[in-house]
Amino acid sequence: RALTINTGSCRSRVWAAFAFCSAKRAEGFPALALLWTSLCLLFADVQRGGDTSTGAGPAHPSTTRAQDAGALKLSLAEIYRQRRKMRTCGALLGAVLVLPIIHAVCPDKVPGLQPWTPGFSEAHHVTIGYGRKVLLTSSATVHSIEILNGGKLVIADTNLPILLRAKHILIGNKGELHIGSADCPYKGNLTISLYGRSDDSDEEHSYFGRKYVGVGTGGILEIHGQKKLSWTFLNKTLHPGEGNENSYHFERSWGNRGIIVHIIDPKTGEVLHNDRFDTYRSKDESRRLAQYVEGVENGQILAMVVNDEGSNNLEDTARKALSKLGSRHFHRLGFRHPWSFITVKGDTASAVEDHAIYQGTKASSEARSVRAFHSGYGERFTITTVSQWVQEAEWTEWFDRDDERGSGDWEKLSDLHKAFPERLCSNPLDIEAETLDGIPANMTGEVFSKFDKNYGFVCLNKDQPQGICHNYRVRFLCGKLVRPQASVSIDTHSNCSILELADEAQGWWPGDRLVVASTDYSMHQAEEFSVLPCPICTSNQVKVEGKPQFLHMGEMVDGVDMRAEVGLLSRNILIRGEMEAGCYGTEACKFFSFDTFGGHLKVEHGFKGVHIQGVEFVHMGQQSMGHYPVHFHMNGDVDQRGGYDPPTYVKDLSIHHTFSRCVTIHGSNGLLVKDIVGYNALGHCFFTEDGPEERNTFEHCLGLMVKAGTLLPSDRDSKMCRDITDGAYPGYVAKPRQDCSATSTFWIANPNNNLIDCAAAGSEETGFWFIFHHVPTGPSEGMYSPGKTEHTPMGRFINNRAHSNYRAGMILDNGVKTTQANAKDKRPFLSLIGARYGPHQDADPFKPRVPALIHHFVAYKNQDHGAWLRGGDVWLDDCQFADNGIGLTLASGGTFPDDDGSRQEVKNSLFVGESENRGMPTLDSRTWGPGGLDHSGRTLPRGVDFPIRGMQIYDGPINVQNCTFRKYVALDGRHTSAFGFRLNNSWQSCPNNNVTDITFDSVPITSRVFFGEPGPWFNEMQMDGDKTTIFHDVDGSVSEYPGAFLVKEDNWLLRHPDCIDVPDWRAAICSGRFAQIYIQARNPANLNMKMVKDEYSEHPLELVGALGKRNHYQQYQPVVTLAKSYTVHWDRAAPAELTVWLINFNRNDWITVGFCYPKGTNFTIISDLHNRLTKETRKTGVFMRTTQREKMSHTHQARGYYYWDEDTGLLFLRVQAHNDKDDFAFCSVKGCERIKITAKIPKGSGPSDCMEMAYPKYAEMPVVDVPMPKKLPRSRLPQASEHFLEIKLESYNTRFFHIKEDFAYTEVNGKKIYQSEDGVHVTVLDGHTGKVLDMKGFRNAVLMGIPAQIENYINSLKDESIVMFTSKGKLVTRGPWTKVLEKLGAEQNVKLKDKLAFVGFKGSFRPDWVRLAVDEERANLHQVLPMPIVRVMKL
């Protein structure tokens, strides 16, 4: 029976152990897996053993007791088996019980450690080795410490701070340094101070250098400080100068008689208790008062006042109690005497008191006491007590007893008393006089004999220059009966602030330092604060010393999270560099006045284990290569792939005021970098170095105030870039914005790294920069094949944010120069160069493309760009852009023909132009000016006239879908727009830029789009890309015309007769099918090209080429309308070699092109396919000459035809695609289809400009191939008051043989109004609704005479009217009547012709859409007007 019971006990204990191990195993304790498995087996075995008594399961004790003793006979073997089982159970349970204790054993409590106190000697070289394990228990100074060969150093966790000074600490092979552990964080205060100069005479280590903590091969470094909140967000906006200032005010009057007492906390100024004692009514109240003040604790503040009356039943006990507190007047308190008193209990010298005598019912009296108290940390509060009788006053009615007749106007007080005995007081407080029509006496200029409250008012006629006074009336200010008033006020004044945080401030203690990030354009608005004690603060509040100088947002602003980051700078473990007073002996002194030779921590390949957590690094890093605050150098895989379990990490670090970066990962993979604050650093802060670094994770890291450094060209600012030319080829001239100037908070050299929940809150250049090394550099050379990183898929990029950066919040572009400087390329090694990103599966360009996904990226207050992302595919989702110079630019690969097109898109995102985060006025007037919906003052990104844009369309193709644009408002002089285009663009513009499902919120319809115009920032708009801009409004959510294309208003290669002008956008709404041809010209390559659409020969498009004139070839990239005919001309002799690339052509798409050549030219023309991946070109056909132009349409892939019209000098080709194309590719699935023309041109040939000969011979009548879309009805437009009003005016004549007939009409929203008579016809529209208000015709006879009739008509129209003119017949083109047009906005001295169409405006300003068209045969205008017409504010 006993054995069975014991076995049952073992079962219960195994059950408990089993449950414990199961839970811990689920929590991620792999070490418990084996024990858990053993317990499972044991449980099964014990369960079986328990079945011996019943055969059906564990025996119940009652069952066991009921059994016969003979039934429990066990064989000796069975007894031994059960005993072994019990011993096994006990052993395993012992392991279970001991295991948590083992995990919690702190490193400094492990048995076998020898106490170590090395003392203080900078000459002491310490070596800890050969199995020696020591415990540092107190502060020490040594020359150096080297731990190796089984040596172990542990820092004791004591109540006293420890300072360990050394020139370096080297943890060599089999050496260990332990400061706390993951399960037992270090709780004390430890400082490791690295000292020494760069020019010390000591021999420096060949790998680690000087002034370092180094972890060598086989070394272990475990540092685990206290767990503290690393960083969070402000949850309430912090205003400049705002402190923790509160006030308390207590006031009483009638009905609260007696003595009022407040008890106040001297540390906080908080009222602890208050009470009133009616010592007028009762002696009991007097005795209660005495007891009350006796019960107040010493040190507490008493503030006391009398209200109304408090002396009638005041006894000696109360008088003595108050005298004991320090009162000198309370013992003689009389009837209704005002009395006030402030004192600190137990300190009679602190008392302040005032006492006054009651002056009766018609006179005021007051007793006032004021005392200031200091509560510490710069805080103080002032207590004011007031006891008074208040006399209020009111003016009487006006009295006029006398007038000016006789000697003058006499309004004596005595006479007025007799005349109005019940309506005047006997002792007035003041007097006023005025004329009967309300002019104050002192403004009449007259002289007064008497003007006195006690006498009255007298004006004598004899004293006046004009001999007579005005008739005056007077009134008097009379006092009312007094009333009692008592008050106690407490005003808190502090040099501190309360920060409301988004998270609990775990581990933030008084004395800790914090940094609050800027939320404006300048990163220098970040501010540091010290934490103060705050017993009244909630868990997510901290009190800090000082008041902010700048505005720090703590809220969502216009839908964008603009909360300032708040980072912790202090940790209980500090590793610091000891610094000299100033810079010395290095090249860095040219740029920095301070010492930049800080300490550094470096981890060598083959280390055994490194985990660093809860540490502050300050004055770390050196302006020399390889010496950074935290540096993992050529470590390979540092996670489970590399055999590290647990994986290597650095967490909860505060790295600030550093001299070279924050965390550097060089040739290392799989490192976890989490909860790091990097602040005030030189050079890239979070830095991946050579390109092979992959699978590293930056999670919840904050970087701010990142400044330029000298190490790499990309670190340097403009001055450094020009001055530091090491490694450059002789003759190199720096171009800082191209070669250098890329200082970034996160510098990512390989896209296969993870960035999650990180913030880049202020850099001299960029927040996040993805950069590409075509080949790995430095020690990483050869670690991957050329070009691999450009094709590597991006890791996770989720929930990151960037603000207060100069160049951009994020850049995905560029590479670094991986070759040494040479005569061909003089730039230094690792200068910035071009590179293009095209991610593919397995980084293999022959495999499918893989999109780079950017989710919930927030970018605000970046001066240039929120994000500039080049290459494909890049997809953004749920992102926010606000207050950036330019919100987002998606750029294609741009390395044609090597790039294959891309699918770049932004979806479900928000763009805000000018938010309610207005910033603060700055000393730089160039960045402060009017803006926003109310045009109030605000900080601006680049300059007061910089054209702010939300989505900048560059080349494409791109897709913008389901995005909201908010608060983009243009000014006259600042072309702000939701959609805009890259300025001064020489590159192509793709017709497959698609925009759909766009919402505009607080964006005037005139500010939705702007195509640009010559002027500031836009320059002359003469670059090729400026002229060819286009995008597709798929659903009409931008233009109100679904399916329309928006093109530049003067690009006649794309226009047709039904296109609708949008003057406010400098655009036209068109329809059609569009593609591109790239024309590459060689021999020569420096020509200007002119392209003409045969339908509009009078409107050629002139292109200068996308490449520099010194290139060996030139490339022209026009967008063309398909199924149309064109001619091409040159400003000099035509190129000997032309290659025509078909871009965005689908199968069977075609155009006809005539190229101009000199007479006598001979041609060889072939077609081929170029494979961009293999760089191979395959000939596909030849072109034969034909004498029949129409035969060109019979072209097929193997054979085509060209037509050479030598009379005009035009070589005609039908350019047609023969292969299918993927949706987002530039070229066909088989390659880029091309036509190559080789011409043998006669020497001495002149310019190849065939315009005069070609036209009108090849001119064609304009034809609309794709009908224009219908405008969306108002019912399908968003519920906004703004919309477009479509108008069309046409004046023309037609001929049928010898019959000529004139027509003219005005069309408003599809309704035509025909002009019936010769002359002009005027149609007037309401400028707010677009409704037709009136129509009137004026015959030529009226126009020829005096223009009064038409002038009067125009003058009679109400302001803000739209006035439209058409003409019919032979127009009177001169005469006074034309001035009417000038009044409505036409240019002065306009020259008219027979046909006129005019849209004008009657009002105080001239809208952009005022237009005048004149012609001899046909004048027409077709445009949209914004409704309602609103004046644009002038900048």
Side-chain angles (χ1 to χ4, degrees):
R1 182 183 295 115
L3 181 61
T4 306
I5 293 172
N6 286 339
T7 304
S9 177
C10 182
R11 279 198 304 273
S12 65
R13 282 179 283 165
V14 170
W15 263 114
F18 177 78
F20 171 82
C21 290
S22 299
K24 290 299 179 183
R25 179 173 175 266
E27 291 174 12
F29 285 81
L32 293 176
L34 180 60
L35 179 57
W36 181 80
T37 304
S38 301
L39 286 169
C40 290
L41 295 173
L42 176 61
F43 172 72
D45 194 22
V46 170
Q47 187 80 346
R48 286 193 299 273
D51 292 346
T52 57
S53 57
T54 64
H60 193 279
S62 61
T63 305
T64 305
R65 285 193 297 269
Q67 291 174 336
D68 186 83
L72 293 175
K73 292 179 182 178
L74 299 173
S75 67
L76 186 61
E78 179 67 8
I79 291 172
Y80 283 136
R81 189 180 74 81
Q82 294 287 2
R83 286 178 178 174
R84 284 197 304 272
K85 193 177 298 179
M86 291 293 292
R87 285 197 295 270
T88 304
C89 177
L92 285 172
L93 288 176
V96 172
L97 295 174
V98 170
L99 190 61
I101 300 173
I102 291 174
H103 270 268
V105 170
C106 297
D108 60 336
K109 301 297 188 293
V110 172
L113 295 175
Q114 303 171 8
W116 181 52
T117 54
F120 300 89
S121 172
E122 293 188 0
H124 188 185
H125 295 254
V126 176
T127 300
I128 304 171
Y130 304 104
R132 188 181 176 204
K133 297 176 173 58
V134 299
L135 178 68
L136 180 68
T137 57
S138 61
S139 296
T141 296
V142 297
H143 176 276
S144 57
I145 300 174
E146 296 189 2
I147 314 167
L148 67 168
N149 297 327
K152 181 177 182 179
L153 171 61
V154 179
I155 309 297
D157 198 347
T158 70
N159 294 327
L160 297 176
I162 294 178
L163 169 61
L164 175 60
R165 298 180 67 246
K167 284 197 170 183
H168 69 257
I169 300 174
L170 175 59
I171 307 162
N173 190 27
K174 298 183 180 178
E176 300 182 29
L177 172 58
H178 293 264
I179 307 169
S181 68
D183 294 326
C184 182
Y186 191 88
K187 299 180 180 63
N189 287 297
L190 169 68
T191 299
I192 297 176
S193 191
L194 301 170
Y195 67 89
R197 292 168 54 100
S198 61
D199 54 4
D200 281 348
S201 59
D202 300 359
E203 183 178 355
E204 69 177 52
H205 193 283
S206 60
Y207 182 79
F208 291 106
R210 301 184 188 277
K211 207 170 178 178
Y212 62 85
V213 174
V215 184
T217 301
I220 292 177
L221 175 62
E222 295 286 342
I223 307 180
H224 301 271
Q226 284 184 321
K227 178 64 179 177
K228 294 170 174 269
L229 176 67
S230 178
W231 65 275
T232 182
F233 296 102
L234 275 184
N235 236 24
K236 181 181 178 182
T237 297
L238 197 59
H239 294 276
E242 180 180 76
N244 179 35
E245 299 194 359
N246 299 305
S247 62
Y248 170 86
H249 185 74
F250 175 95
E251 185 176 300
R252 294 293 184 269
S253 185
W254 295 116
N256 293 273
R257 183 177 53 203
I259 298 171
I260 297 172
V261 183
H262 279 61
I263 310 301
I264 299 165
D265 188 326
K267 294 181 179 179
T268 64
E270 180 183 2
V271 175
L272 302 176
H273 189 261
N274 67 72
D275 204 343
R276 179 173 64 88
F277 304 87
D278 191 351
T279 51
Y280 171 82
R281 179 181 61 84
S282 169
K283 286 183 170 54
D284 290 340
E285 286 289 280
S286 179
R287 288 189 287 271
R288 191 170 71 86
L289 171 62
Q291 294 171 359
Y292 184 84
V293 298
E294 286 294 334
V296 175
E297 295 180 10
N298 281 344
Q300 291 184 334
I301 302 169
L302 291 97
M304 307 176 68
V305 288
V306 168
N307 185 50
D308 192 350
E309 215 294 302
S311 66
N312 187 51
N313 276 297
L314 193 62
E315 286 195 330
D316 284 346
T317 54
R319 296 181 192 273
K320 289 178 181 179
L322 268 293
S323 297
K324 188 177 178 182
L325 292 176
S327 171
R328 292 172 296 148
H329 299 290
F330 190 72
H331 69 280
R332 54 190 179 91
L333 192 66
F335 178 72
R336 287 190 168 182
H337 285 190
W339 174 79
S340 64
F341 180 60
I342 304 170
T343 190
V344 177
K345 178 78 176 290
D347 181 8
T348 57
S350 67
V352 292
E353 186 178 21
D354 194 16
H355 173 248
I357 305 300
Y358 179 59
Q359 301 296 325
T361 60
K362 296 186 178 181
S364 59
S365 55
E366 177 186 88
R368 176 185 295 265
S369 299
V370 180
R371 178 79 156 79
F373 295 86
H374 292 273
S375 56
Y377 302 103
E379 290 190 341
R380 60 187 177 88
F381 59 91
T382 302
I383 302 175
T384 303
T385 55
V386 180
S387 172
Q388 61 182 332
W389 288 96
V390 180
Q391 184 183 33
E392 295 174 342
E394 60 183 356
W395 289 99
T396 65
E397 63 189 284
W398 290 100
F399 300 108
D400 181 21
R401 188 196 63 82
D402 192 17
D403 59 28
E404 72 280 15
R405 290 175 295 181
S407 60
D409 193 354
W410 294 73
E411 304 291 350
K412 291 172 60 178
L413 181 60
S414 58
D415 295 336
L416 291 170
H417 268 300
K418 294 176 183 177
F420 312 102
E422 301 298 326
R423 292 150 68 180
L424 266 174
C425 53
S426 57
N427 296 300
L429 303 175
D430 201 359
I431 183 175
E432 285 185 352
E434 67 179 21
T435 65
L436 294 184
D437 51 2
I439 300 173
N442 59 355
M443 297 181 64
T444 62
E446 295 185 342
V447 179
F448 308 120
S449 175
K450 289 285 186 180
F451 198 164
D452 181 80
K453 64 177 182 177
N454 296 317
Y455 185 86
F457 175 85
V458 179
C459 179
L460 299 177
N461 291 333
K462 65 182 180 64
D463 295 334
Q464 312 311 319
Q466 66 275 26
I468 191 169
C469 294
H470 284 87
N471 187 9
Y472 289 93
R473 57 187 181 183
V474 296
R475 67 175 181 176
F476 296 87
L477 184 65
C478 293
K480 300 168 69 174
L481 295 178
V482 295
R483 62 175 178 83
Q485 181 172 295
S487 64
V488 177
S489 299
I490 306 173
D491 295 306
T492 302
H493 313 280
S494 64
N495 185 31
C496 64
S497 307
I498 296 290
L499 307 185
E500 302 272 355
L501 305 176
D503 299 290
E504 291 188 7
Q506 178 189 352
W508 292 12
W509 303 113
D512 284 349
R513 296 286 292 171
L514 308 177
V515 60
V516 181
S518 168
T519 54
D520 207 345
Y521 293 107
S522 172
M523 70 174 183
H524 297 284
Q525 291 186 15
E527 300 187 68
E528 294 182 45
F529 298 96
S530 292
V531 178
L532 299 176
C534 184
I536 63 171
C537 288
T538 64
S539 61
N540 68 328
Q541 291 179 324
V542 290
K543 181 188 286 187
V544 295
E545 187 175 6
K547 299 180 182 180
Q549 299 182 48
F550 304 104
L551 175 72
H552 301 275
M553 301 304 295
E555 58 196 270
M556 299 284 288
V557 183
D558 292 309
V560 177
D561 186 356
M562 294 192 189
R563 294 176 297 168
E565 298 82 3
V566 184
L568 176 67
L569 301 181
S570 302
R571 298 282 179 174
N572 67 311
I573 299 175
L574 168 64
I575 301 178
R576 73 183 183 196
E578 294 185 10
M579 310 308 297
E580 300 293 321
C583 194
Y584 62 91
T586 67
E587 289 294 312
C589 296
K590 293 181 180 178
F591 312 104
F592 308 109
S593 61
F594 47 85
D595 181 8
T596 59
F597 191 72
H600 69 103
L601 187 154
K602 189 172 185 178
V603 181
E604 186 180 16
H605 175 74
F607 68 90
K608 190 172 181 180
V610 172
H611 303 95
I612 306 172
Q613 184 174 12
V615 182
E616 177 183 355
F617 293 86
V618 65
H619 294 159
M620 299 288 280
Q622 301 165 7
Q623 281 293 295
S624 57
M625 297 295 290
H627 306 122
Y628 315 119
V630 177
H631 183 193
F632 284 81
H633 185 251
M634 303 305 298
N635 304 119
D637 295 328
V638 298
D639 54 1
Q640 289 94 335
R641 287 194 189 182
Y644 291 94
D645 190 9
T648 311
Y649 61 74
V650 291
K651 298 193 295 188
D652 300 301
L653 307 184
S654 300
I655 307 172
H656 61 96
H657 297 87
T658 79
F659 306 118
S660 185
R661 319 208 184 288
C662 302
V663 176
T664 295
I665 304 175
H666 187 183
S668 305
N669 311 312
L671 180 67
L672 175 62
V673 182
K674 183 176 181 181
D675 290 321
I676 311 294
V677 174
Y679 166 61
N680 206 340
L682 301 182
H684 309 304
C685 185
F686 297 94
F687 179 63
T688 59
E689 190 153 345
D690 280 347
E693 300 83 14
E694 295 190 77
R695 300 186 299 100
N696 302 291
T697 296
F698 298 90
E699 182 177 350
H700 200 248
C701 294
L702 165 65
L704 64 165
M705 194 84 94
V706 180
K707 305 173 184 176
T710 63
L711 297 190
L712 299 177
S714 57
D715 286 310
R716 299 168 190 157
D717 61 20
S718 296
K719 184 179 189 317
M720 297 171 186
C721 190
R722 294 187 182 96
D723 290 355
I724 302 173
T725 56
D726 297 345
Y729 196 81
Y732 166 70
V733 178
K735 298 178 180 178
R737 298 307 294 170
Q738 298 177 26
D739 304 343
C740 309
S741 300
T743 310
S744 300
T745 305
F746 293 86
W747 182 263
I748 309 300
N750 187 307
N752 186 22
N753 290 286
N754 304 311
L755 292 109
I756 303 166
D757 296 331
C758 292
S763 166
E764 282 194 7
E765 292 296 335
T766 299
F768 300 87
W769 197 319
F770 285 82
I771 198 81
F772 302 97
H773 292 242
H774 186 68
V775 295
T777 53
S780 306
E781 185 174 348
M783 294 183 71
Y784 59 78
S785 58
K788 180 182 177 183
T789 59
E790 289 102 315
H791 299 300
T792 298
M794 184 181 284
R796 299 174 67 200
F797 192 92
I798 299 172
N799 201 35
N800 299 300
R801 49 196 284 118
H803 59 90
S804 309
N805 300 288
Y806 174 71
R807 180 180 290 200
M810 179 181 179
I811 291 179
L812 175 63
D813 198 357
N814 296 103
V816 293
K817 185 173 181 281
T818 55
T819 58
Q820 298 296 327
N822 52 60
K824 186 176 180 181
D825 187 345
K826 298 180 179 181
R827 293 173 293 181
F829 182 60
L830 298 181
S831 295
L832 257 66
I833 60 171
R836 300 297 182 262
Y837 182 49
H840 286 256
Q841 181 181 325
D842 300 326
D844 185 347
F846 290 91
K847 291 185 178 180
R849 298 197 314 216
V850 177
L853 303 178
I854 297 171
H855 182 74
H856 194 62
F857 176 57
V858 178
Y860 70 91
K861 295 289 183 184
N862 299 291
Q863 287 184 266
D864 195 349
H865 265 83
W868 168 283
L869 310 176
R870 182 189 288 280
D873 299 349
V874 181
W875 297 0
L876 296 93
D877 181 54
D878 188 28
C879 296
Q880 299 172 355
F881 301 91
D883 293 329
N884 305 291
I886 300 163
L888 173 64
T889 298
L890 295 174
S892 71
T895 53
F896 180 84
D898 295 333
D899 55 335
D900 58 346
S902 60
R903 182 183 176 189
Q904 296 176 298
E905 65 180 33
V906 53
K907 291 184 175 181
N908 312 314
S909 295
L910 171 65
F911 296 80
V912 180
E914 293 173 298
S915 77
E916 291 304 304
N917 178 3
R918 301 174 185 276
M920 290 178 56
T922 63
L923 297 176
D924 187 354
S925 61
R926 295 171 299 175
T927 57
W928 179 264
L933 294 172
D934 59 0
H935 309 124
S936 59
R938 63 184 300 115
T939 50
L940 297 163
R942 296 284 298 278
V944 293
D945 59 349
F946 180 76
I948 297 169
R949 282 148 284 166
M951 182 71 212
Q952 177 173 261
I953 298 174
Y954 177 17
D955 43 14
I958 65 169
N959 181 42
V960 185
Q961 183 176 347
N962 192 33
C963 292
T964 296
F965 292 81
R966 181 173 292 151
K967 293 187 176 179
Y968 287 88
V969 182
L971 302 180
D972 183 0
R974 183 194 304 151
H975 295 294
T976 298
S977 60
F979 287 92
F981 298 86
R982 190 174 184 219
L983 309 180
N984 309 304
N985 176 25
S986 63
W987 196 241
Q988 60 99 8
S989 184
C990 179
N992 294 333
N993 290 324
N994 295 329
V995 174
T996 184
D997 197 13
I998 303 302
T999 300
F1000 296 100
D1001 177 13
S1002 301
V1003 178
I1005 198 168
T1006 54
S1007 299
R1008 291 183 181 180
V1009 182
F1010 191 69
F1011 273 71
E1013 67 177 8
W1017 302 100
F1018 296 90
N1019 294 328
E1020 297 302 317
M1021 294 288 292
Q1022 289 300 310
M1023 302 186 80
D1024 292 4
D1026 298 333
K1027 301 176 180 181
T1028 59
T1029 45
I1030 181 173
F1031 72 89
H1032 186 198
D1033 185 9
V1034 176
D1035 63 347
S1037 54
V1038 175
S1039 67
E1040 301 179 4
Y1041 290 82
F1045 287 83
L1046 288 167
V1047 305
K1048 197 163 184 300
E1049 61 185 356
D1050 56 358
N1051 186 352
W1052 294 89
L1053 299 188
L1054 309 181
R1055 294 190 59 136
H1056 58 65
D1058 288 351
C1059 288
I1060 305 169
D1061 286 319
V1062 191
D1064 290 287
W1065 299 353
R1066 313 301 189 265
I1069 301 169
C1070 295
S1071 59
R1073 296 173 56 245
F1074 304 103
Q1076 297 159 276
I1077 56 172
Y1078 289 179
I1079 301 173
Q1080 289 181 348
R1082 292 174 171 84
N1083 302 321
N1086 57 353
L1087 305 180
N1088 294 332
M1089 187 188 89
K1090 185 162 52 179
M1091 190 170 188
V1092 185
K1093 188 178 180 182
D1094 289 348
E1095 293 178 342
Y1096 292 103
S1097 59
E1098 68 278 19
H1099 296 296
L1101 182 69
E1102 298 185 9
L1103 302 175
V1104 298
L1107 311 177
K1109 292 295 186 183
R1110 295 183 180 181
N1111 251 44
H1112 67 283
Y1113 75 94
Q1114 188 55 268
Q1115 185 164 293
Y1116 312 89
Q1117 303 169 146
V1119 181
V1120 295
T1121 307
L1122 292 169
K1124 298 292 183 180
S1125 298
Y1126 304 85
T1127 60
V1128 172
H1129 312 265
W1130 310 94
D1131 64 341
R1132 282 180 285 163
E1137 184 179 322
L1138 282 180
T1139 305
V1140 182
W1141 299 69
L1142 281 64
I1143 306 299
N1144 288 309
F1145 275 65
N1146 287 297
R1147 184 172 185 159
N1148 294 326
D1149 286 347
W1150 64 271
I1151 62 171
T1152 298
V1153 186
F1155 294 95
C1156 182
Y1157 285 96
K1159 291 183 179 181
T1161 301
N1162 294 310
F1163 306 98
T1164 301
I1165 305 175
I1166 66 168
S1167 61
D1168 60 28
L1169 275 171
H1170 175 79
N1171 188 310
R1172 64 173 188 83
L1173 294 175
T1174 64
K1175 308 296 191 292
E1176 295 176 350
T1177 301
R1178 176 174 60 87
K1179 181 178 176 181
T1180 57
V1182 297
F1183 282 76
M1184 309 297 293
R1185 182 173 179 176
T1186 178
T1187 58
Q1188 299 174 338
R1189 187 169 181 242
E1190 59 274 9
K1191 193 173 182 178
M1192 291 189 304
S1193 61
H1194 300 294
T1195 293
H1196 53 85
Q1197 188 163 12
R1199 171 172 290 186
Y1201 296 95
Y1202 70 87
Y1203 175 72
W1204 170 230
D1205 182 352
E1206 197 160 4
D1207 292 338
T1208 61
L1210 290 173
L1211 169 71
F1212 288 98
L1213 296 168
R1214 183 182 174 95
V1215 179
Q1216 181 171 341
H1218 300 282
N1219 298 291
D1220 294 320
K1221 181 183 78 71
D1222 289 337
D1223 285 344
F1224 297 98
F1226 290 144
C1227 300
S1228 78
V1229 293
K1230 294 185 177 181
C1232 290
E1233 299 184 63
R1234 313 188 308 176
I1235 297 173
K1236 188 172 182 180
I1237 305 171
T1238 304
K1240 188 174 181 181
I1241 299 173
K1243 291 184 178 180
S1245 298
S1248 298
D1249 187 340
C1250 306
M1251 287 282 291
E1252 290 187 8
M1253 301 299 294
Y1255 302 104
K1257 180 177 180 180
Y1258 291 111
E1260 296 181 358
M1261 182 69 69
V1263 175
V1264 179
D1265 292 334
V1266 178
M1268 282 289 290
K1270 296 293 184 182
K1271 185 176 182 295
L1272 289 171
R1274 287 293 301 276
S1275 59
R1276 289 184 57 192
L1277 295 177
Q1279 296 300 313
S1281 59
E1282 287 193 309
H1283 64 281
F1284 274 138
L1285 175 71
E1286 182 182 344
I1287 61 166
K1288 187 174 183 180
L1289 294 78
E1290 194 158 13
S1291 302
Y1292 61 99
N1293 58 50
T1294 61
R1295 290 179 180 274
F1296 184 74
F1297 295 102
H1298 63 283
I1299 301 173
K1300 178 180 177 182
E1301 191 169 3
D1302 285 323
F1303 294 92
Y1305 67 86
T1306 300
E1307 184 177 326
V1308 180
N1309 267 351
K1311 296 181 179 180
K1312 288 185 178 180
I1313 304 167
Y1314 284 94
Q1315 180 175 343
S1316 58
E1317 297 179 334
D1318 288 356
V1320 296
H1321 185 269
V1322 181
T1323 305
V1324 182
L1325 308 181
D1326 187 301
H1328 294 279
T1329 65
K1331 292 182 178 179
V1332 177
L1333 298 178
D1334 195 21
M1335 295 175 288
K1336 189 172 180 63
F1338 297 91
R1339 294 189 169 201
N1340 282 332
V1342 174
L1343 303 180
M1344 293 174 64
I1346 299 173
Q1349 187 175 348
I1350 191 170
E1351 284 182 352
N1352 292 338
Y1353 177 75
I1354 297 300
N1355 291 337
S1356 69
L1357 300 177
K1358 69 175 186 177
D1359 277 352
E1360 301 188 353
S1361 293
I1362 301 163
V1363 186
M1364 301 183 292
F1365 283 69
T1366 56
S1367 68
K1368 185 178 180 184
K1370 189 171 181 60
L1371 180 65
V1372 177
T1373 59
R1374 297 183 181 180
W1377 85 270
T1378 60
K1379 296 295 181 182
V1380 168
L1381 301 179
E1382 295 178 13
K1383 289 182 180 180
L1384 298 173
E1387 299 292 337
Q1388 292 186 354
N1389 302 315
V1390 63
K1391 294 182 179 179
L1392 303 181
K1393 297 182 180 179
D1394 264 1
K1395 301 303 174 192
L1396 170 145
F1398 174 65
V1399 181
F1401 180 71
K1402 187 188 178 194
S1404 58
F1405 60 98
R1406 184 184 187 277
D1408 286 336
W1409 45 258
V1410 170
R1411 290 285 189 273
L1412 172 66
V1414 295
D1415 192 78
E1416 297 296 347
E1417 301 290 334
R1418 179 182 293 265
N1420 67 295
L1421 293 173
H1422 192 183
Q1423 62 189 66
V1424 290
L1425 310 180
M1427 290 287 114
I1429 308 299
V1430 178
R1431 182 171 191 168
V1432 177
M1433 178 183 173
K1434 194 171 184 62
L1435 181 63

